[in-house]
């Protein structure tokens, strides 16, 4: 009887726990880096797991391994992936439950880690604000037959680690290549062309594949200007681990047997120097002769990506006769007039039809229609200002839409009205 009474008393008495457990946060980051260099940053949580589990009280209704909340101001998005098979413990980090990888214990404390990759946007000091933590705890608990373990003196604890700063160094001006587009890291670049034989004016595709460690997805798209070729457009797929850039080009002169080697400049943060790699020359046979009028567009001076846009037209309208100035001509043995050709093709390919028509107005190669000064050139051959500006705007809208721009859906009507008004001049 006495033994049974002692057992009942023990069950009803509070279960004593140690004082609040200690939680330590630390940031691991390099002391300095180069502008454009990806900076690996790790946040580590150090704590005595047994002491924490004995004292912690539920802070959130959602189940997790540790009822611990971390606030990391500079950590945008989810932490980096955890290797397969690695031990993890989940907690709240910036209002999301995330797993932290468990590393080897240090001085009897568990070490949990989350990692991020930061990219500084400017030279100077990259400030990493102090991470903060919050958890609930108690020193006394009782076992309730209904609700289980219940804290008698619940309270909350909060604290913070230490802030860190990374010195971001500007890339050196000395030795910077003219064709440097911001690639920082170590890269290799491969090139292919398709098809391997073309005639002057024909469109073909150059594909660059860039691999390596660094800011692969973030540097600017390289601009190329190979001798004997005209860049029509480009599509840049920034996906990792291989960045793929497709350039649409056409040859401007015949007699070529290879596409030239292309340089690729990058800054190596380990050596602190610029490095120039290059693609190997590629077999490409170009036959034929150049047209009378070349089409060169300065992308930097125009606000619209005309080199991108010009490529859409070049391959589509090569079948049309060049150098014929558009005037109304009666149908007959000489074939349909330019306006009639426009109407025949407009519903099939409005861009092709309109550009071919305007080429006859300007007495130029169809591809030469695509330029930022189209309206001025039309005015120079007698087209009134308002009509010329409408033509320039419509052409820009049409070919721009081919490379991701937006169209208003009413282009066919606009094009038809434009041609009708030009016919009345």
């Amino acid at each position: 009887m006495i033994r049974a009474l002692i057992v009942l008393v023990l069950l009803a008495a509070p279960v004593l726990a140690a004082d609040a457990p200690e939680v330590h946060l630390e940031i691991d980051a390099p002391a300095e880096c180069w502008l454009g260099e990806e900076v690996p940053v790790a946040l580590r949580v150090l704590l005595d797991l047994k002491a924490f589990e004995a004292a912690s009280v539920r802070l959130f209704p959602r189940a997790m391994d540790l009822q611990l909340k971390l606030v990391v101001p500079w950590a945008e998005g989810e932490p980096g992936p955890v290797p397969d098979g690695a031990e993890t413990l989940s907690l709240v980090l910036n209002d999301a439950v995330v797993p932290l990888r468990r590393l080897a214990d240090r001085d009897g404390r568990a070490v949990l880690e989350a990692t991020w990759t930061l990219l500084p946007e400017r030279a100077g000091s990259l400030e990493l604000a102090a991470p903060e933590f919050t958890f609930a705890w108690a020193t006394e608990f009782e076992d309730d037959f209904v609700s289980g373990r219940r804290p008698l003196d619940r309270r909350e604890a909060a604290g913070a680690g230490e802030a860190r700063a990374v010195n971001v160094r500007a890339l050196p001006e000395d030795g910077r290549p003219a064709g440097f587009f911001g690639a920082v890291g170590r890269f290799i670049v491969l090139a292919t062309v398709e098809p391997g034989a073309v005639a002057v004016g024909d469109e073909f595709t150059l594909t660059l594949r860039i691999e390596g460690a660094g800011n692969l997805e973030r540097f600017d798209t390289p601009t190329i200007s190979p001798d004997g070729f005209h860049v029509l457009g480009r599509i840049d797929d920034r996906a990792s681990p291989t960045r793929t850039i497709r350039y649409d080009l056409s040859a401007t002169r015949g007699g070529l047997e290879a596409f030239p080697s292309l340089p690729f400049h990058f800054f190596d943060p380990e050596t602190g120097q610029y490095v120039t790699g290059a693609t190997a020359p590629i077999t490409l046979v170009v036959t034929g002769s150049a047209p009378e009028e070349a089409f060169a567009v300065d992308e930097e001076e125009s606000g619209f990506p005309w080199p991108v846009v010009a490529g859409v037209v070049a391959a589509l309208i090569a079948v049309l006769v060049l150098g014929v100035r558009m005037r109304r001509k009666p149908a007959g043995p000489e074939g349909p007039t330019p306006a009639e050709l426009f109407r025949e093709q407009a519903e099939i390919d409005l861009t092709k039809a309109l550009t071919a028509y305007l080429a006859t107005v300007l007495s130029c190669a169809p591809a030469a229609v695509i330029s930022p000064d189209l309206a001025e050139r039309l005015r120079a051959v007698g087209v009134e200002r308002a009509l010329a500006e409408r033509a320039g705007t419509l052409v820009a809208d049409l070919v721009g839409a081919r490379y991701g721009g937006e169209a208003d859906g009413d282009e066919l009507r606009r094009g038809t009205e434009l041609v009708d008004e030009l016919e009345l001049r």
Side-chain angles (χ1 to χ4, degrees):
M1 183 67 179
I2 295 175
R3 179 177 297 176
L5 180 60
I6 293 174
V7 172
L8 288 174
V9 171
L10 290 174
L11 288 174
V15 179
L16 299 179
D19 291 339
E22 293 184 355
V23 175
H24 296 275
L25 304 180
E26 63 180 31
I27 299 173
D28 185 12
E32 65 178 14
C33 69
W34 294 98
L35 181 63
E37 181 182 3
E38 294 187 325
V39 181
V41 180
L43 172 70
R44 298 196 181 100
V45 183
L46 291 81
L47 74 170
D48 185 325
L49 281 179
K50 290 184 178 180
F52 187 86
E53 291 172 352
S56 66
V57 174
R58 182 175 291 273
L59 188 62
F60 307 99
R62 182 173 174 180
M64 62 193 72
D65 295 320
L66 298 175
Q67 290 285 325
L68 176 64
K69 178 177 182 179
L70 305 181
V71 176
V72 188
W74 42 265
E76 297 183 0
E78 296 182 358
V82 176
D84 294 339
E87 181 183 357
T88 63
L89 292 174
S90 59
L91 47 74
V92 172
L93 194 155
N94 290 350
D95 298 324
V97 177
V98 298
L100 269 64
R101 180 185 179 187
R102 183 171 182 179
L103 307 180
D105 289 1
R106 185 195 307 172
D107 299 328
R109 295 179 296 181
V111 181
L112 310 178
E113 181 184 75
T115 62
W116 291 266
T117 299
L118 306 184
L119 185 67
E121 297 180 351
R122 61 184 63 86
S125 180
L126 173 62
E127 301 294 333
L128 302 176
E132 302 174 353
F133 67 83
T134 304
F135 64 90
W137 61 285
T139 60
E140 296 183 358
F141 299 83
E142 68 176 6
D143 290 325
D144 186 277
F145 288 105
V146 178
S147 59
R149 184 170 181 261
R150 185 167 64 88
L152 298 179
D153 57 344
R154 184 185 186 282
R155 64 196 75 178
E156 291 191 5
E162 294 184 359
R164 288 287 303 275
V166 179
N167 179 37
V168 182
R169 301 173 61 184
L171 298 183
E173 294 292 338
D174 186 27
R176 178 180 297 187
F180 176 68
F181 294 97
V184 178
R186 290 185 171 182
F187 305 96
I188 59 172
V189 58
L190 304 173
T192 57
V193 296
E194 180 65 31
V198 296
V200 170
D202 286 351
E203 184 177 341
F204 67 96
T205 299
L206 165 73
T207 302
L208 292 186
R209 292 180 174 86
I210 306 170
E211 300 178 354
N215 61 343
L216 185 65
E217 302 176 23
R218 308 190 189 187
F219 58 78
D220 294 339
T221 305
T223 298
I224 62 173
S225 55
D227 183 38
F229 300 90
H230 181 69
V231 180
L232 305 170
R234 64 193 183 193
I235 298 177
D236 191 348
D237 181 0
R238 297 173 180 259
S240 181
T242 301
R243 181 165 172 179
T244 303
I245 309 173
R246 192 192 77 187
Y247 299 87
D248 295 327
L249 302 98
S250 64
T252 57
R253 57 186 173 89
L256 301 176
E257 297 183 352
F259 189 85
S261 174
L262 295 175
F264 180 77
H265 309 288
F266 60 91
F267 182 80
D268 186 343
E270 295 187 19
T271 63
Q273 296 180 343
Y274 294 96
V275 178
T276 298
T279 62
I282 308 168
T283 299
L284 177 66
V285 178
V286 182
T287 59
S289 57
E292 294 181 0
E293 182 172 345
F295 41 91
V297 180
D298 189 346
E299 179 180 8
E300 297 297 329
E301 293 183 0
S302 73
F304 192 83
W306 291 103
V308 174
V309 167
V312 180
V313 179
L316 298 176
I317 58 180
V319 296
L320 298 178
V321 179
L322 306 181
V324 180
R325 178 166 178 82
M326 192 290 300
R327 288 297 180 192
R328 290 168 294 173
K329 299 187 296 182
E334 296 183 2
T337 67
E340 290 169 343
L341 284 174
F342 167 81
R343 295 185 182 95
E344 290 176 4
Q345 295 294 320
E347 293 189 5
I348 300 172
D349 192 324
L350 180 59
T351 304
K352 170 183 174 180
L354 180 60
T355 312
Y357 178 86
L358 293 175
T360 64
V361 176
L362 295 170
S363 298
C364 70
V369 171
I370 309 302
S371 68
D373 62 347
L374 174 59
E376 295 179 6
R377 293 165 59 200
L378 288 171
R379 290 186 60 205
V381 296
V383 178
E384 64 175 355
R385 176 188 295 272
L387 192 56
E389 291 178 352
R390 282 169 51 200
T393 300
L394 179 55
V395 169
D397 290 347
L398 286 171
V399 294
R402 299 227 181 202
Y403 281 84
E406 295 184 357
D408 61 16
D410 200 25
E411 289 80 8
L412 180 58
R413 178 193 60 77
R414 292 165 59 194
T416 302
E417 292 179 354
L418 181 70
V419 171
D420 288 345
E421 293 182 42
L422 286 169
E423 284 287 283
L424 295 174
R425 291 187 304 124

